[in-house]
Amino acid sequence: MENLRLSILQEIHTWSAELPEWQQDAIRRLYNNRSLSAQDIDDLYAMAKAERNIEDPSNRKPAKLLSTVIAAPAVPNRVVQITCIRDLVNVNALAEGQKLAINPVGLTIVYGENGSGKSGYSRVLKRACRARDQSEPILQDARKPKGAAGVPTAIFDVLIDGDDQSLEWNRDAVSPEHLSEVAIFDSHCARAYVDNQGDFAYVPYGLDILEGLATACASVKEMAKKELEANKPNLEPLSSLAKTNTKVGRMLTELSADTKPVDLEKLATVTEEELVRLTALNKTLAEADPKKKTLALRQAASRFTGLSSRINVALKFVNDAKVKELRDLVVKSNDAKHVAEIASEQFKTKPGMLPGTGSEPWKVLFEAARQFATVSHAGSDFPNLPDDSACPLCQNQLGEEGMEKLNSFDKFIQQKAEKNAVASKAVAVEAYRNIDGAMVDLLIDDALYSELKDSFPESYVKFAEFQKAVRDRREDAMNAAASKLPWESVTAVPESPCPQLIEKSELLLKEAKSLDEAQDVEAKAAMVAEQMELRARIKLAELKETALDVVAKLALNAKLEACINGISTAKISRKSTSLSENMATKNVVSALNDELRALNVHELKVVMKANSSGGKTQYKLALQLPSGASPSAILSEGEQRAIAIASFLSELKLGGGLGGIVFDDPVSSLDHRRRLHVARRLVDEAKHRQVVVFTHDIYFLCILQQESDLAHTEALTQCIGRGTAGFGVQEDRLPFDTLSTSKRVKALGELCDNLAKVHKSGDEAEATRLTREAYSHLRMAWERGVEEVLLGGTVTRFNEGISTFKLKEVEVEDADYDAVAIGMTKSSKYSGHDPATAAHLGTPNPDDLREDIKKLEDWRANLEKRKAAIRVRRK
C-alpha cells in the first residue's frame, strides 16, 4: 500500500458502512473538521432521534463520507509525481493561464508572501490529492461580477511510473484517483493527547475519528438521557380519576407508549345526548319518592302531548295550503261575480225594467218569490204559472205580459254566469267559515304556562308567541278574504314548537321509566355504573390535554429509551483497539523515535505501554520524558507540530510508497532552531521522493536552500506574487534576501536603471525613495558578500553551525577591511539606516549609485580570484 496513514482511513470508511446513518454522518464531520462543535452534536442528536421516528422540525438528514473524498487505495509499486500545475481557472483571485512547474524529483520550494496567491495553489492541491484538511474554501474571484465565475478547474501534468499524463481537476467532480497517491501534510495529522489512564498517548492519523465518534456517541447518549429525565410525564392530575372503577380509570392505569391518542380522545368525547342522559340519571338516582315522581312525569308528558295535538289542529286550519285554498276560492268567486255582473248589466238595460233589477237584492227577492210559489201556486212549476194566476210578489193577475216578464226573470237567473257566481260564492263562503270558526285557541292556562316555563326556561315565551301568531294569521286571512288586507300581508305561518314538546315528552317518559327501573336493585346498580362512567368521561374531557400530553411523553420516552439503548461505543472501542494494536509495534516505535530525533525533539520518546484488561494484555503508544514528567504539562504548540511532522513522515516510511508529498507552511509555531531541523529532514526526504513545500517564511526558504546546497539535493525555487493579471503570478526574481552576492549585484543594477528613469522624469520624491531603497539593498549586498565571499560561508545567518573547514579559503587583507568599511558606511548613510543623518544629506545621483554598485562587484570579483589562488596554496 502507498502509506499506512491512508489505509487507516480506508479501513474506517469500509467499517463505518454498518453503523447507524447518524454515526456515519459524525464520521464525515470528524474527517472534515477534526472536532465536533455544539451545533454538530445537536445535529447528530436530532438525526439519532429521527432514526427512532422522533420527528426533527429542521428535517436534518445524515450524509455519509463518500469514498471519492478520501484517498483511493494505493496501487502497489506505482509512483505518481506532479510536474506542473497549470491553467487554473476560477480559483480564488489567481490569474488565469499561469503555470507552476514542480520538480518531479528532489525539492520544490514555492515561496509567496501573505496575500500573494500561494494559498490558492495549496488549496487546489489539497482537494485534488484528497487531503483530509479541506476547511479553507476555494472562493470565486471577487473582481468578477456576481454569478459570472464558474467552477474552479486546473490541469495537473504528472509522471505515472515515468509516463507523461495530464489530469483534469474539477472542484465539483471526483478528483483523479492517481493524485490521491500524493500525500499532503495538514492540520489533521497525528497528535498526542492525555488518555483515560493519564498517559500522553500517541494517536496515529485517522484514529482520532474513532475517538471523536466515541465522544460524540457519549454526548448524544447523555443528551437523550437528559431529555428523557426532563420529559417524565406528570401523572398526579390523573391519579384520582385512574382509581375509579370505570373504563376511563382502567385506561389511565394502563397508559403506555402503545396507548392510541385516538382511543383516549374518543373516550373523552361526550355527546349532547349523553349529557342529557347523565342529567336524567342524576335526577332519577336522587329522587326520594320515585312513584309520585313517575306519575307527575307521565302527566306532564301527557299535557305536552295534548298541547302538541292542539298546535297541529290549529296549524291544520291556518297552514299555507288552507290560506292559499281560501285565497284561490275568493279570487274565483270574485271573477264569477264580475262575469255575472256584466250579464246583469245587459239585463237591466231592457225597456220597462225598474232600477235595481238584476241586483243582489232583486235576486234575493226573486228567489223568495220562487220559494213562496211552492205554497201559493202548489202544483205549478215556477215560473210557468197559468196566465190568470196572481203574481207571487204583487198578487195582481199576471196576464200574458206578466208571464213573459216572470219567465225572462227566471231565464236571467238560470244563466251559466249567474249560476257560476252563486256556486263559487257558496264554496268560498264555506272555506271562509271553516277558517273563521276553527279552533285555534291552544288553551294554555296559567298552570300549563308555568310548566312550560320550568321545562323550557330558554324558549317558553315561544309558545305564547305561537298562540298570538296563529290568531293573527287567521284574522289576517279573514280580512284578506273580505278585501280589507292584501293577501301578501297575511302573517306567515309560525314555526311549530311541536318537535320540542314531543322530545320533551319522550324524555319525561324515559325518566319515568328510569324511575320505575330504579326501584329494581339490579337496574339501579346498572344506572349507578352508567352514571360513574359518564362522570368519569366528563372529567377526562376536562383533563384531555393533560392525558394526551402524558401519552405523547410516554411515546417519546419509549423512543428515547430505544435511542439510548441503541447507542454503544463497544463496537467503536473494538475497532479502535484493533487498529491501535496494529500500530503499536516495535517498527512503529522505532520509526517515530527516529523522526523525533531527526527533528531535534530528543526530550520525547515513544514507548509501547502494556494495558491489561479482562485478562488480555494490549499495548498502546505513549510519549515519555526522560525525567518522568508529564509531557502534557510542558509540550508547546511548536512541539506538538513537530510530533505531527514526525508521525506523518514515519507513517509514510512504514507505508513504503514513493509518491510525492506536499507541505503547506510546515513550520508554523516552530522556533528557529527546530525550523532548521525540519528543513534538513525535508531535504533528506527529497533524496528519495518528490517533496513540495509552500511557505511564506523567508527564513525557512533560506535554510531550505542552504540545506539543499549542503546535501547536493536538486531544489527548484518558485516565487509567486501579485501582478497586473491577478494573484499567483510566477516571478523570475526571488526575494532579495535569498540571493547570492553576484545575483544581488545584478538586481541592484536593474534597480539603478529604474531609478535613472524616475530621476530623469523629475519626480524627486520618488527618486529619493528609490535611492534610499537601493542603498538599503546595497548595504544588504555588502553583508552577504562578507558572509559568502570574504568568509567563504564559514559563518552564515540562519545557520546554527560554524563551518570551520571553509576557513581554508579565507584570507582577510587590509584592502578588504577598507572596501567593506567604506561600502557599508556609505550604504548605511544614504539608506536611511540612520534617519537623523539621512535627513541632512542630499540624494546621490543615479550615476553615483551605479559607481558604488560597481565597487562592490569589483571587490567581489577580485576576491574570487584571490580565493582560487588560496585554494591552490592551501591544498
Side-chain angles (χ1 to χ4, degrees), residues 28 113 153 183 225 259 318 325 350 610 690 739 801 843 871:
R28 176 186 64 83
E113 296 180 351
T153 59
K225 287 181 177 179
T259 301
V318 295
E325 180 186 13
K350 288 183 178 182
Q690 179 184 52
L739 299 178
T843 303
R871 282 196 296 272

Side-chain angles (χ1 to χ4, degrees), residues 283 293 296-297 299-301 303-304 307 447-461 463 500-505 507-508 511:
K283 288 183 179 179
K293 184 65 176 179
L297 290 172
Q299 288 175 343
R303 286 191 288 273
F304 289 160
L307 176 58
L448 179 56
Y449 189 75
S450 177
E451 199 166 16
L452 289 171
K453 186 176 181 180
D454 291 340
S455 297
F456 305 97
E458 296 180 358
S459 60
Y460 69 93
V461 295
F463 293 96
Q500 293 175 267
L501 289 168
I502 296 302
E503 182 181 3
K504 189 64 177 179
S505 296
L507 288 174
L508 291 173
E511 188 177 346

Side-chain angles (χ1 to χ4, degrees), residues 326-341:
L326 176 61
R327 178 180 180 177
D328 292 345
L329 290 175
V330 169
V331 170
K332 183 178 180 181
S333 175
N334 289 338
D335 290 344
K337 178 181 178 182
H338 179 66
V339 173
E341 285 175 347

Side-chain angles (χ1 to χ4, degrees), residues 8 42 103 137 190 229 243 334 434 555 596 670 712 725 781 814 821:
I8 293 177
D42 187 65
N103 260 350
E229 181 64 26
K243 295 175 183 177
N334 289 338
N434 285 339
L596 290 173
L670 294 180
H712 304 291
D814 292 346

Side-chain angles (χ1 to χ4, degrees), residues 99-121:
K99 181 177 180 180
L100 183 65
I102 298 175
N103 260 350
V105 294
L107 179 65
T108 300
I109 309 166
V110 182
Y111 171 79
E113 296 180 351
N114 289 330
S116 64
K118 171 177 61 66
S119 62
Y121 287 100

Side-chain angles (χ1 to χ4, degrees), residues 150-291:
V151 178
T153 59
I155 301 295
F156 283 80
D157 291 335
V158 298
L159 287 175
I160 301 176
D161 293 334
D163 294 332
D164 288 319
Q165 291 191 32
S166 294
L167 304 177
E168 294 184 5
W169 171 80
N170 182 308
R171 185 198 61 186
D172 295 346
V174 177
S175 178
E177 172 266 335
H178 300 84
L179 292 177
S180 66
E181 293 200 24
V182 176
I184 309 289
F185 174 81
D186 58 41
S187 60
H188 290 291
C189 292
R191 64 188 181 94
Y193 78 110
V194 179
D195 66 12
N196 54 12
Q197 277 80 41
D199 292 320
F200 205 60
Y202 160 78
V203 184
Y205 186 89
L207 279 184
D208 61 290
I209 291 178
L210 296 182
E211 176 200 347
L213 178 59
T215 302
C217 287
S219 298
V220 169
K221 192 169 188 175
E222 185 60 27
M223 290 177 73
K225 287 181 177 179
K226 287 182 178 179
E227 184 173 357
L228 181 64
E229 181 64 26
N231 197 56
K232 281 187 177 180
N234 182 13
L235 297 173
E236 182 58 30
L238 305 176
S239 59
S240 298
L241 192 55
K243 295 175 183 177
T244 61
N245 185 23
T246 62
K247 290 181 180 178
V248 172
R250 288 187 289 275
M251 172 175 274
L252 295 181
T253 301
E254 299 169 359
L255 284 180
S256 69
D258 296 326
T259 301
K260 296 179 180 178
V262 65
D263 293 341
L264 192 148
E265 288 195 22
K266 183 177 181 181
L267 201 57
T269 302
V270 183
T271 66
E272 189 65 29
E273 291 181 358
E274 288 173 325
L275 290 174
V276 172
R277 173 60 176 164
L278 179 59
T279 301
L281 286 171
N282 291 339
K283 288 183 179 179
T284 299
L285 295 173
E287 188 58 52
D289 189 349
K291 289 185 178 181

